[in-house]
Amino acid sequence: MTGAVVTIPAPLATRSPLHVLLRLLPLLAATAVLGMGLSMIDGSAVGALRDDSMYLELAKALATGHGYRWLNLPGNPAATHFPPGYPAVLALLWMVAPSFPANVVLFKLANTLFATLAAVCMARLVRRRFEMSDVAAHLFAVAAVLAIPVLTLATQVMSEPLFLLCLVATLVAAEDVVDERDARWMRAVLLGVLAAATTLVRTNGIALLPAIAGVLCLQRRFRHAGLFALAMLATLLPWQLWVAAH
């Protein structure tokens, strides 16, 4: 017994140029940010912003096995001012390309990639939370990341691009957990770890603790709030103990 296979063509709307363009919006937004960032990258020396040279000092110390210390100061004192997230990322890149100052271009390229990914995450966040259209959400994200202050930092060896990426990714994950009232407990734990990782890039991320836990408590989801807070604080504890000891 044989049967005929009926082929139903896809609706015209799903094959229209406009539909294809909408599907390509994340790629187009990423290309715009990445292209602009790449056009501004150069191999100029670091130090003009001061913090960039400090990040490189710490990255070199980690990459060369000296620990999280200031190699440029007498006695190599422990570094307690900057959280270790961004220098640790730079240290990984330093081990891949240990020749300084040639590796400065790689560090700047990484920041441009962080900014590009941040724009993609930002478009998703504002589209879902503020109910923007796909076009408006991606235009908003591109405009935000290509603003002069953000673009300037994205093409230097500064921690802001990585922090922006971590922050927006955390907010996207937090919105998922908040919207799903019966979310598994492990998701709240992972959200706490992600929020802590954001804080380890820049301490401003500590504001995520009361913000996310407060929203969960308002929903009377005290278990999720507690698991989130405990996971975040436990992840931050080693850094806090390091600071307290030095």
Side-chain angles (χ1 to χ4, degrees):
M1 179 178 179
T2 59
V5 178
V6 179
T7 302
I8 302 176
L12 182 60
T14 64
R15 294 179 290 147
S16 66
L18 179 59
H19 179 78
V20 174
L21 180 62
L22 292 176
R23 293 285 297 272
L24 292 176
L25 276 176
L27 178 60
L28 294 175
T31 301
V33 175
L34 182 62
M36 182 63 72
L38 291 177
S39 69
M40 296 181 61
I41 290 178
D42 56 36
S44 60
V46 296
L49 301 176
R50 201 183 77 158
D51 284 3
D52 53 354
S53 59
M54 295 182 180
Y55 286 132
L56 288 186
E57 282 287 347
L58 296 175
K60 178 181 178 181
L62 290 173
T64 54
H66 291 86
Y68 201 57
R69 296 180 174 276
W70 297 111
L71 300 182
N72 58 321
L73 295 178
N76 299 339
T80 58
H81 179 69
F82 293 105
Y86 185 57
V89 172
L90 292 180
L92 294 176
L93 297 175
W94 195 294
M95 288 187 286
V96 174
S99 178
F100 179 84
N103 52 11
V104 170
V105 174
L106 177 62
F107 302 148
K108 294 181 178 182
L109 175 60
N111 267 7
T112 301
L113 292 175
F114 296 149
T116 301
L117 294 174
V120 175
C121 292
M122 188 181 301
R124 179 182 176 185
L125 176 66
V126 298
R127 184 178 67 247
R128 294 178 56 191
R129 182 48 52 194
F130 302 112
E131 299 182 351
M132 287 185 176
S133 67
D134 286 341
V135 175
H138 285 88
L139 287 176
F140 173 87
V142 170
V145 175
L146 291 185
I148 295 300
V150 180
L151 187 60
T152 300
L153 293 171
T155 54
Q156 300 296 322
V157 188
M158 299 291 284
S159 63
E160 280 81 359
L162 179 59
F163 175 72
L164 179 62
L165 172 59
C166 292
L167 176 62
V168 179
T170 302
L171 292 177
V172 170
E175 295 290 350
D176 289 340
V177 172
V178 168
D179 289 342
E180 189 176 345
R181 299 187 66 89
D182 57 346
R184 298 182 60 182
W185 64 269
M186 182 56 68
R187 292 180 61 186
V189 172
L190 293 176
L191 179 59
V193 174
L194 184 56
T198 303
T199 308
L200 289 174
V201 176
R202 290 189 68 86
T203 52
N204 312 58
I206 195 64
L208 291 167
L209 178 60
I212 297 176
V215 171
L216 292 173
C217 287
L218 289 175
Q219 294 182 333
R220 297 186 178 277
R221 296 166 59 186
F222 301 110
R223 181 186 180 191
H224 282 122
L227 289 171
F228 162 77
L230 286 175
M232 183 173 179
L233 293 174
T235 306
L236 292 174
L237 183 60
W239 166 243
Q240 295 302 315
L241 291 177
W242 166 266
V243 172
H246 298 87

